[in-house]
Amino acid sequence: MSVIDKVVAREILDSRGNPSVEVDVFSGKNQGRFMVPSGASTGQFEAVELRDNGDRFLGKGVLTAVKNINEVIAPKIIGRDIFDQEGLDNFMIELDGTDNKANLGANAILGVSIANLRAAAKARGQWDFEYIGDSKRLPCPMLNVINGGKHAGGDLAIQEFMLMPIGFDKFSDALRASAEIYQQLKKYLKKKYGGIAVNVGDEGGFAPPIQNTREALQALMSAIEETGYKPLEQFHIGIDAAASEFLHDGKYHIDGKQLTPEEFSQYYYELVEEYPILLSLEDPFDENDFDAFASLVSKYGSSRAVVGDDLTVTNVERINTAIDKQSMNYLLLKVNQIGTFTEAKKAFDLTKSQNWGVVISHRSGETEDSFIADLAVGWGADRIKTGAPARSERVAKYNQLLRIEEYLGDEASYNNKI
Ligand code: PGA
Ligand code: ZN
């Protein structure tokens, strides 16, 4: 039997320069490591990310979470079977004793959960994706090339504008084409808005001084065409509105207007009619408005992806509400929203039981850890969203997908389905 011999946690920095948690789990000569990410436009119902408050790092230190791992969790899990992932996760959930991991911190619990999984994969001599599942399908990447909202300093309300390379047979070709468009977009923005337009936001996308959605979509369309690719046939576009962030006093503040929820629905209808390339709409409304989400699903059926992120926070209870109300047809899955591998898998399975799609996602505060690439392949997730094809914390995931595709050779497939 392979057991946990030692657990060591430490405070590291994430891609925004804020502290985060890193955990090593040791079993014999095998070591598993995980670096925990952190969001900015976090959903109200996410599991609790424990921060120290106080003076260090302007209150954002994670030494309490680190101490919870080293002094509370570690002594109680030494000797556990590393292959019993579910047992470990359930044990930590019970040890925490709250519904939202407020005691020990989801950042503490998740660090241990995934580091254990990786030690187990090593002990089996497998890649993480092989240990995680049987799938050999590479996900379609959603590359966030224009950043707005909380991830940038400008006036664009919509948080993310993403390239979706649909018309390709291989992940590596899809990534190459997307990276070419990213470079062309840079030229386009620089010419149109000047050098300031190509500064980048938190997820590596450009943060140009664009004030409305249509202008951003137009920039993307132009960049796709100027690079020589065909909109609709080869590329679609996804947006993440993260709409809770610009809802104030019952009105959505967007494009210089203040829209009621009804007017905002109308706004989407017109946008999709003008830009049929718009395939995926994430968090189009406030995170509590299951009904507004449902109205988009009933209008578009499966011809558009209506994606729940802040709405459902990778939590089966909220996904069940979304199922009852038919509020979405895609789940955005972020392991740190819920805090253990096992619970994230339950969220995945429940979503798949509805024949809905799943997008595995990074956070805006990331690290060089590439775990989610393996997760997306192992589970056979439909799509992966992990930022621009630039900045190493984003590219780390895409590069891992390239390695996996190469390793799988002819066995690899690519999800180019709409
Ligand atoms: P976050 O943003 O990590 O800041 O929450 C990503 C997203 O909303 O999908
Ligand atoms: Zn989102």
Side-chain angles (χ1 to χ4, degrees):
M1 193 163 90
S2 297
V3 299
I4 299 175
D5 297 327
K6 193 164 84 168
V7 180
V8 183
R10 64 187 66 85
E11 189 179 59
I12 56 162
L13 291 181
D14 73 10
S15 58
R16 276 194 278 254
N18 290 323
S20 194
V21 176
E22 175 174 275
V23 185
D24 292 334
V25 166
F26 297 89
S27 176
K29 58 180 177 12
N30 299 306
Q31 175 194 1
R33 170 173 292 169
F34 185 62
M35 307 165 86
V36 179
S38 172
S41 60
T42 45
Q44 190 187 338
F45 303 98
E46 292 192 25
V48 173
E49 178 183 72
L50 214 56
R51 298 277 176 192
D52 299 336
N53 303 318
D55 294 336
R56 293 181 70 254
F57 288 113
L58 288 82
K60 293 199 164 178
V62 291
L63 290 183
T64 321
V66 165
K67 196 168 169 212
N68 286 345
I69 297 170
N70 288 335
E71 295 180 17
V72 182
I73 299 173
K76 295 195 169 69
I77 62 171
I78 303 293
R80 285 193 74 95
D81 178 2
I82 57 168
F83 301 118
D84 181 17
Q85 186 67 41
E86 188 163 358
L88 171 69
D89 289 343
N90 289 338
F91 175 79
M92 291 192 288
I93 292 165
E94 265 177 44
L95 189 64
D96 173 81
T98 66
D99 283 346
N100 58 1
K101 306 186 176 64
N103 249 333
L104 297 171
N107 43 351
I109 292 173
L110 182 70
V112 176
S113 178
I114 307 295
N116 178 79
L117 180 139
R118 279 181 151 164
K122 283 240 184 88
R124 288 256 165 88
Q126 291 177 310
W127 289 49
D128 292 342
F129 82 89
E130 296 173 296
Y131 181 72
I132 287 167
D134 293 331
S135 167
K136 294 180 168 66
R137 188 178 69 162
L138 280 286
C140 177
M142 302 178 74
L143 302 107
N144 181 7
V145 292
I146 295 183
N147 291 186
K150 265 202 170 174
H151 296 168
D155 297 321
L156 204 51
I158 302 278
Q159 180 178 276
E160 303 175 12
F161 292 81
M162 294 171 278
L163 291 170
M164 301 174 67
I166 298 286
F168 297 85
D169 293 330
K170 286 183 71 181
F171 173 81
S172 44
D173 289 336
L175 184 64
R176 173 183 45 78
S178 307
E180 289 168 4
I181 292 169
Y182 179 77
Q183 299 303 339
Q184 185 61 37
L185 179 64
K186 184 173 187 173
K187 285 190 197 156
Y188 172 94
L189 292 172
K190 198 165 179 178
K191 198 164 153 214
K192 186 151 186 199
Y193 303 98
I196 194 157
V198 294
N199 292 339
V200 297
D202 282 349
E203 297 188 351
F206 302 114
I210 287 179
Q211 294 177 359
N212 73 72
T213 307
R214 283 173 173 79
E215 216 175 315
L217 289 172
Q218 198 47 56
L220 272 188
M221 292 286 287
S222 301
I224 294 169
E225 283 170 349
E226 284 170 10
T227 321
Y229 292 104
K230 297 190 186 78
L232 281 172
E233 224 173 281
Q234 292 176 300
F235 276 90
H236 281 74
I237 294 175
I239 55 171
D240 178 7
S244 303
E245 305 294 339
F246 55 87
L247 176 70
H248 308 292
D249 301 324
K251 299 264 180 79
Y252 292 99
H253 293 226
I254 181 164
D255 296 359
K257 300 192 192 96
Q258 301 189 11
L259 305 179
T260 63
E262 293 71 29
E263 288 167 339
F264 198 30
S265 293
Q266 199 57 40
Y267 172 98
Y268 283 118
Y269 299 158
E270 286 164 16
L271 204 61
V272 170
E273 207 169 305
E274 273 172 59
Y275 291 93
I277 195 170
L278 210 45
L279 178 65
S280 180
L281 305 163
E282 178 182 336
D283 281 345
F285 298 100
D286 179 61
E287 61 201 344
N288 288 301
D289 202 344
F290 284 90
D291 295 331
F293 274 71
S295 69
L296 274 191
V297 175
S298 71
K299 175 142 178 98
Y300 294 120
S302 58
S303 73
R304 294 283 175 288
V306 178
V307 188
D309 169 16
D310 294 344
L311 181 78
T312 33
V313 291
T314 316
N315 181 320
V316 292
E317 262 180 52
R318 292 187 67 86
I319 296 167
N320 270 321
T321 308
I323 292 170
D324 287 346
K325 296 190 172 248
Q326 290 296 297
S327 299
M328 59 194 214
N329 51 25
Y330 263 81
L331 174 75
L332 199 87
L333 187 147
K334 294 166 166 165
V335 281
N336 84 320
Q337 281 181 329
I338 190 68
T340 62
F341 177 82
T342 301
E343 289 163 292
K345 182 67 164 68
K346 285 184 179 149
F348 180 89
D349 290 341
L350 177 60
T351 304
K352 279 290 162 188
S353 75
Q354 303 303 303
N355 285 320
W356 291 354
V358 175
V359 185
I360 303 287
S361 172
H362 67 159
R363 299 309 303 248
S364 54
E366 262 296 332
T367 73
E368 61 269 35
D369 196 303
S370 60
F371 176 73
I372 59 167
D374 282 77
L375 187 66
V377 178
W379 282 351
D382 305 273
R383 295 173 181 157
I384 188 167
K385 154 173 137 159
T386 185
R391 298 178 64 133
S392 290
E393 80 279 7
R394 313 294 150 190
V395 167
K397 286 70 165 171
Y398 297 128
N399 287 343
Q400 177 68 358
L401 289 166
L402 290 175
R403 288 180 206 110
I404 293 173
E405 184 177 70
E406 179 192 79
Y407 168 76
L408 286 172
D410 290 345
E411 288 185 84
S413 63
Y414 172 61
N415 177 34
N416 53 13
K417 289 182 203 65
I418 286 182

